[in-house]
Amino acid sequence: MISLRCLGRSVPRQISSAVPHLPRRSLSTIRPSLLLQQSCQRASRPCFAAFSTSRAAWEQEGQVDQELSAKLESELRVERDTRDSETLPPSLQDFLESSPFQLEDKPGQEEVALTRKFGDESIRITFSIADLNNMDQEDADQFGEDPALSDEEAADAAATNVQSGGANTKGSINQGRTKGGNFAVAPEDSIAPSDRAEGSYEDPSSGEGEQEPSFPARMNVLIEKAGKGALQMEVMAQDGEVLIENVYYFQKPELADAKTAELDWSRRNLYTGPPFGNLDEDLQILLERYLNERGVNTALALWLPEYIDWKEQREYLTWLSNVKAFVDA
């Protein structure tokens, strides 16, 4: 037992004696390094508490929010000053009061409906303000030109008409024939159109008396008889004219306005009728009279584009208000 104890004690001593002795470092060379490490650790710690609810420096609020909100407010102010979209204009209201149709217009939705009864028929006319938003720029140029461009064209034409020494000397006085055969027109001899006698000049670019053409508005006319199917017509209204594009017949009325994928698939395989333009001319005229008798007439064709324009403006103002409220929240 004693021999084992002596062996156990001697082993560490022998190992320690076998390890070469390293020179001892003085206390003065150790403490400065420890102090330097501790100071560095304290400097690297964050200045805010670990569980603080304050925002970090890199989590700043949006820099464009205020500018965007001001721009939206400016746009709202301009649109409200331009026209009143809160109340229905008298011309639109008069049509609804004198018409047999009932208006179904839900705020925030693009589609609008007009419904009425005609004998045993249920008539529903639907249209959308998306027709106005989906107009191409070419269509916009065709149905409404920029007045500023017309003024510039008129000014260019007036400048051309007063060429000095040229052949184009319309509207000049005191004209003296030159050697070359043309009339030399002095600047003081040119008379402005506004200074001429009334009725002696007509500006072709003025467009006075001409009504600005309206944009084409599409509507879907659905005429349904209980137990007898439905007749659907795709119609375009423009400048007071009602133009039928297609006429469909459905034995099941729900197929006319297929709202599910199953109904839409069932409708694709049906023969619904030939193109309207391929029909006999007398048959086309009778179908137009058929619609006119049910209230799809000139009055509706004039009312429809104006109402679409008014509703789109109202929905646009609502959209601006909603976006601004979201940005300001």
Side-chain angles (χ1 to χ4, degrees):
M1 183 68 65
I2 297 175
S3 61
L4 292 175
R5 186 184 300 173
C6 294
L7 180 62
R9 290 179 179 179
S10 62
V11 170
R13 292 178 183 178
Q14 293 177 358
I15 294 176
S16 60
S17 61
V19 177
H21 294 282
L22 297 176
R24 294 186 180 181
R25 299 176 59 184
S26 61
L27 185 61
S28 60
T29 59
I30 297 177
R31 288 185 177 178
S33 61
L34 293 176
L35 295 175
L36 182 60
Q37 292 178 1
Q38 293 177 359
S39 61
C40 293
Q41 291 177 357
R42 285 195 299 266
S44 61
R45 292 180 182 177
C47 298
F48 51 87
F51 297 97
S52 175
T53 58
S54 61
R55 294 176 178 266
W58 57 84
E59 296 180 359
Q60 298 179 358
E61 295 182 357
Q63 301 297 324
V64 192
D65 293 26
Q66 294 183 357
E67 184 178 355
L68 176 59
S69 178
K71 179 59 179 176
L72 290 170
E73 179 62 29
S74 175
E75 187 72 12
L76 276 169
R77 188 163 50 251
V78 169
E79 293 295 333
R80 287 169 180 167
D81 293 342
T82 302
R83 57 188 297 185
D84 182 16
S85 299
E86 297 298 331
T87 58
L88 198 63
S91 59
L92 299 179
Q93 187 65 36
D94 293 343
F95 171 82
L96 294 176
E97 292 176 356
S98 60
S99 172
F101 289 100
Q102 300 295 324
L103 179 65
E104 297 180 2
D105 185 358
K106 296 181 180 180
Q109 295 187 2
E110 289 185 337
E111 189 174 275
V112 184
L114 294 170
T115 59
R116 67 164 296 186
K117 286 286 187 178
F118 186 81
D120 61 343
E121 300 175 354
S122 298
I123 302 178
R124 182 179 179 84
I125 302 175
T126 57
F127 56 92
S128 175
I129 63 175
D131 291 343
L132 182 60
N133 294 330
N134 294 336
M135 286 182 62
D136 296 333
Q137 186 64 34
E138 296 180 358
D139 296 335
D141 295 339
Q142 178 181 358
F143 297 111
E145 295 182 354
D146 189 354
L149 296 179
S150 301
D151 295 341
E152 292 179 1
E153 293 176 358
D156 294 341
T160 306
N161 290 334
V162 294
Q163 298 177 18
S164 178
N168 193 359
T169 56
K170 179 181 178 181
S172 301
I173 61 174
N174 297 333
Q175 300 169 349
R177 184 175 296 276
T178 61
K179 186 176 181 180
N182 294 330
F183 288 99
V185 183
E188 62 271 12
D189 294 336
S190 178
I191 301 179
S194 58
D195 296 334
R196 297 178 186 174
E198 184 177 357
S200 63
Y201 176 77
E202 181 180 357
D203 186 2
S205 62
S206 61
E208 277 189 32
E210 297 182 1
Q211 185 177 4
E212 182 179 354
S214 61
F215 65 91
R218 299 181 182 276
M219 53 182 168
N220 194 324
V221 182
L222 181 63
I223 305 174
E224 182 180 351
K225 292 184 179 181
K228 298 180 181 179
L231 198 64
Q232 184 184 37
M233 298 186 184
E234 295 178 349
V235 182
M236 177 181 294
Q238 183 180 5
D239 299 333
E241 296 185 5
V242 177
L243 306 175
I244 301 177
E245 294 184 336
N246 292 295
V247 179
Y248 308 112
Y249 170 76
F250 297 96
Q251 190 173 3
K252 297 180 179 180
E254 59 270 16
L255 293 178
D257 188 16
K259 296 185 179 299
T260 64
E262 183 179 358
L263 291 176
D264 183 65
W265 178 259
S266 301
R267 172 175 172 164
R268 293 182 181 181
N269 297 326
L270 296 178
Y271 176 78
T272 54
F276 184 76
N278 294 347
L279 298 177
D280 180 76
E281 291 185 1
D282 293 338
L283 181 56
Q284 295 182 27
I285 294 174
L286 288 174
L287 285 171
E288 292 174 353
R289 292 174 56 189
Y290 180 84
L291 280 184
N292 183 79
E293 192 176 23
R294 285 156 177 77
V296 186
N297 49 24
T298 300
L300 177 61
L302 291 173
W303 176 86
L304 188 62
E306 187 177 354
Y307 186 85
I308 290 177
D309 182 54
W310 175 82
K311 177 176 171 60
E312 196 280 334
Q313 178 71 10
R314 186 184 63 176
E315 296 297 338
Y316 175 59
L317 289 175
T318 304
W319 178 83
L320 287 173
S321 300
N322 292 337
V323 174
K324 184 180 184 302
F326 177 82
V327 173
D328 295 341

